[in-house]
Every structure is written in structure tokens, then in C-alpha cells.
């Protein structure tokens, strides 16, 4: 069975998932029996989860994202001068085909992260 | 003489190849979609690498500007996301003026080693609870503790823990081997854990500034 040093190393370096079968079994068995290594592994997991949560909350700042999108795409010619819109219309979630007016098509197939905060989406409405 | 061309039968292009081709010829709608789809992730990763908000925005903007410029060079062998994050990582390294080379020796290696006895068992086992700290304390100290690590390690950690990238993808983005990536993650996780453990020890007695 691997030692605590080996187990903690494998856990921190993310080697457990890619290890061979026997090594993985050895590590699992060690973790089952050793509360120190178990705590170590749990703490690293908590660390990863906390980092993920903190950052995904920050990235929710839609206004900042929209501003950046504008800055990057702003100097590309407006959509009307470009090639036709993608021929395949975006899936209609509501089942109601939106009329393809200039207003409606500008944002129709954007991914959620980059949509401009339209008037109806701003806080407090 | 192109052997592969002689031996492959004609086939339909996959959606991935069609997209790669559209990116190469800088199809405006495609470039726009890529930007809109991945910008939030790229911005988040720049923050995750330890850049302050303004710097992160700047680097994100540079990343996409470069992407729009070098799109014709996109070969489509990897996902466009991997391509983008590779650009981002080089921009971060430039912003930091830190070359990405991992140091052969990192003081954290000694700190970790000192917690074990010669036979490989813990001589100073991890302290605290499984969660290390209460959620709000963890939040409070985490960014401090993460900032003790270099940007390359933080990027690796972010791509793994926040974006959930595969080992393969992270290695391509950072230009490192899997072993090397393991060392980076090992160092960052240990350094951050040690730091949080110190904070927790301090928090038990008095308010830590």
C-alpha cells in the first residue's frame, strides 16, 4: 500500500484518475484507512470548490462582459453590411418564430454569457 | 506528394471542420459567435490567474483582438476554446513578464516534505476540519492565499477547478507535459492549503487583518 506521502502527492497532483488500476485501488484503500489523508483530500476538494464559486459569481457581471464584447467587436462592420445572417435560424425556444427585424436578429442567437443587458433585464425591473 | 490524400476516401466534412474553415476565412458571424460565447470564460480565467479586474479586461480584449487577427492560422486540430485559452495564457505571461517556465525548485516542496516522517507517514498531519474553514472565512482568505502562487500555477488550477478542462487541453494551452502540470497543481494546492491552515490557526486566537 502507498505511504501517506505518496497518497497526498497523487491527490494534489491530480494523478489518481490517471493512475493504473492497482495503484488506484491502493490509494483508495489507504484513504479508507487513514483519516489524515482523508482530511487532506477533503480540504483540497473544499479549496477547489470555493475557488470555483468565488469566480463564477464574479463573472456574472454582465455589464462588464457586454462592454468588452462591444470593445472587441465594435470596430467590425455592423451586421447589416456583412454576409447574410447564418442561414440556419436559431432554435425557437418559445415556439413563436420571431420576426426577423433588424432589432430582433441582432441578439437572437447569442450565447447567454454575452448578451447585452437589455432594458428588461436590468436590475430592479 | 501527399500520401494521406491518396488513401483517404472522399467524405463529408464534420461540423467541427466546417466551423474551423469558417474561422480560418474569418467569417464575421462565426468570429462574432466565438467571441460572444467564450468571452465570459476568458475573462473569468484572466481573473483566476490573479490579474486585477482592469488588467484582466485588458488581457481579455487583447486575447480576442489577437484571435481575430490570427484566425487564418487556426488549424482546427484542437477545439477553438483550447486555441483561445492558449492565446490568453501567452498574454497573461506577457502581462506578468514572467516566463512560464516552472522553477525546478519551489520552497513549498520543502514545506510539504517537512510534514512527513522518513517512513512516509504524516509527522504533522493536516489541521482543522475537512472544510478547512467556515465558508465565509474561506471566501475571505482564499484570494489572499491564492495570490501567493505564480500566475502559471494559478492558470492551471483555474482551468482545472473552475472551467473543468481536461488534462490534455490544459497541457496544450500551457505548453507543458502532464507530469509538469501535476507538479504545478501540487504546488499551488499545497501552498494554498498551508496558507489557509495558518489563517485558521490565527483566526482561532485573534482577528487576522
Amino acid at each position: 500500500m502507498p505511504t501517506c506521502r505518496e497518497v497526498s502527492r497523487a491527490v494534489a497532483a491530480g494523478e489518481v484518475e490517471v493512475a493504473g488500476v492497482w495503484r488506484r485501488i491502493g490509494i483508495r484503500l489507504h484513504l479508507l484507512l487513514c483519516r489524515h489523508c482523508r482530511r487532506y483530500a477533503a480540504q483540497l476538494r473544499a479549496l477547489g470548490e470555493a475557488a470555483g464559486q468565488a469566480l463564477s459569481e464574479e463573472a456574472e457581471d454582465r455589464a462588464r462582459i457586454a462592454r468588452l464584447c462591444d470593445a472587441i467587436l465594435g470596430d467590425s462592420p455592423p451586421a447589416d453590411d456583412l454576409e447574410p445572417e447564418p442561414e440556419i435560424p436559431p432554435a425557437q425556444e418559445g415556439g413563436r418564430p420571431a420576426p426577423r427585424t433588424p432589432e430582433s436578429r441582432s441578439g437572437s442567437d447569442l450565447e447567454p454569457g454575452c448578451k447585452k443587458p437589455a432594458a428588461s433585464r436590468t436590475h430592479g425591473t | 506528394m501527399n500520401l494521406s490524400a491518396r488513401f483517404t476516401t472522399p467524405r463529408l466534412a464534420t461540423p467541427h471542420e466546417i466551423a474551423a474553415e469558417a474561422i480560418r476565412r474569418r467569417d464575421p458571424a462565426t468570429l462574432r459567435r466565438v467571441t460572444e460565447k467564450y468571452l465570459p470564460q476568458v475573462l473569468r480565467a484572466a481573473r483566476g490567474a490573479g490579474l486585477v479586474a482592469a488588467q484582466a479586461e485588458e488581457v481579455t480584449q487583447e486575447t480576442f483582438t489577437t484571435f481575430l487577427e490570427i484566425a487564418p492560422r487556426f488549424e482546427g486540430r484542437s477545439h477553438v476554446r483550447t486555441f483561445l485559452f492558449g492565446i490568453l495564457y501567452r498574454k497573461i505571461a506577457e502581462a506578468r513578464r514572467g516566463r512560464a517556465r516552472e522553477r525546478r525548485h519551489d520552497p513549498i516542496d520543502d514545506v510539504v516534505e517537512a510534514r512527513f516522517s522518513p517512513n512516509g507517514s504524516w509527522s504533522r498531519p493536516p489541521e482543522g476540519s475537512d472544510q478547512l474553514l467556515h465558508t465565509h472565512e474561506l471566501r475571505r482568505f482564499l484570494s489572499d492565499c491564492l495570490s501567493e502562487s505564480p500566475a502559471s500555477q494559478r492558470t492551471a488550477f483555474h482551468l482545472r477547478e473552475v472551467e473543468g478542462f481536461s488534462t490534455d487541453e490544459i497541457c496544450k494551452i500551457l505548453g507543458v507535459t502532464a507530469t509538469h502540470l501535476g507538479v504545478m497543481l501540487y504546488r499551488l494546492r499545497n501552498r494554498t492549503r498551508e496558507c489557509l491552515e495558518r489563517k485558521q490557526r490565527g483566526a482561532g486566537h485573534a482577528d487576522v487583518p
Side-chain angles (χ1 to χ4, degrees):
Chain A
M1 192 154 71
T3 64
C4 296
R5 188 197 275 119
E6 288 166 0
V7 168
S8 67
R9 193 167 182 95
V11 168
E15 283 164 13
V16 183
E17 312 88 67
V18 294
V21 181
W22 292 112
R23 175 132 180 103
R24 214 159 51 224
I25 291 174
I27 291 169
R28 293 263 171 257
L29 200 61
H30 183 113
L31 284 171
L32 208 63
L33 301 173
C34 173
R35 67 191 170 92
H36 296 319
C37 285
R38 213 159 49 231
R39 170 174 298 167
Y40 178 83
Q43 289 181 342
L44 293 195
R45 206 160 43 238
L47 175 60
E49 282 164 11
Q53 281 164 11
L55 276 155
S56 29
E57 276 168 23
E58 227 176 90
E60 283 300 298
D61 188 350
R62 289 176 178 283
R64 187 159 30 128
I65 286 167
R67 183 154 46 80
L68 267 178
C69 280
D70 277 353
I72 292 159
L73 297 169
D75 46 358
S76 69
D80 293 308
D81 300 341
L82 301 176
E83 320 233 324
E85 286 284 297
E87 288 75 17
I88 310 139
Q92 298 295 337
E93 278 123 283
R96 185 172 53 89
R100 286 179 79 73
T101 61
E103 293 81 30
S104 73
R105 68 177 201 176
S106 64
S108 55
D109 64 345
L110 296 193
E111 291 296 326
C114 213
K115 276 181 186 164
K116 290 185 188 176
S120 59
R121 297 160 55 90
T122 49
H123 307 281
T125 46
Chain B
M1 192 181 337
N2 191 342
L3 281 179
S4 60
R6 271 174 58 190
F7 288 107
T8 47
T9 47
R11 58 185 175 76
L12 293 171
T14 65
H16 177 79
E17 287 164 343
I18 294 169
E21 196 273 323
I23 289 170
R24 267 198 303 280
R25 71 178 149 82
R26 291 203 243 202
D27 170 51
T30 306
L31 294 183
R32 177 172 280 269
R33 264 204 303 280
V34 170
T35 305
E36 283 163 351
K37 178 161 184 186
Y38 293 112
L39 188 133
Q41 273 185 46
V42 167
L43 179 63
R44 187 166 61 184
R47 293 285 286 134
L51 301 182
V52 297
Q55 221 177 0
E57 287 186 23
E58 196 177 310
V59 163
T60 302
Q61 194 170 339
E62 282 174 16
T63 299
F64 280 96
T65 315
T66 305
F67 169 70
L68 300 181
E69 271 167 29
I70 68 174
R73 282 195 258 147
F74 176 63
E75 293 177 22
R77 276 187 309 212
S78 53
H79 197 280
V80 64
R81 187 172 77 149
T82 311
F83 186 67
L84 263 177
F85 276 84
I87 301 173
L88 170 70
Y89 180 65
R90 288 194 297 278
K91 296 288 173 196
I92 291 172
E94 277 169 28
R96 283 288 165 93
R97 288 190 209 300
R99 271 313 299 134
R101 289 299 112 226
E102 192 65 12
R103 277 169 293 169
R104 187 144 311 164
H105 183 80
D106 188 318
I108 188 63
D109 297 344
D110 299 330
V111 174
V112 177
E113 187 51 35
R115 302 196 73 132
F116 294 97
S117 60
N119 70 8
S121 59
W122 293 97
S123 58
R124 223 153 48 78
E127 294 171 28
S129 71
D130 284 1
Q131 306 307 312
L132 269 164
L133 289 162
H134 293 298
T135 315
H136 62 282
E137 289 171 321
L138 189 55
R139 288 279 181 85
R140 188 167 139 217
F141 295 131
L142 187 62
S143 67
D144 270 4
C145 287
L146 283 173
S147 68
E148 291 183 1
S149 289
S152 53
Q153 292 175 12
R154 297 188 61 172
T155 310
F157 178 72
H158 178 90
L159 295 178
R160 166 53 47 84
E161 299 282 14
V162 182
E163 307 297 343
F165 278 33
S166 70
T167 301
D168 247 26
E169 263 184 309
I170 302 174
C171 287
K172 267 189 214 161
I173 291 164
L174 304 183
V176 298
T177 63
T179 311
H180 192 142
L181 174 63
V183 173
M184 294 166 90
L185 292 171
Y186 167 86
R187 287 173 171 171
L188 179 135
R189 285 171 173 152
N190 275 301
R191 198 184 338 261
T192 311
R193 202 201 68 80
E194 293 279 342
C195 171
L196 289 169
E197 198 180 84
R198 279 199 309 277
K199 301 273 192 197
Q200 176 234 33
R201 223 178 288 141
H205 300 292
D207 248 10
V208 178

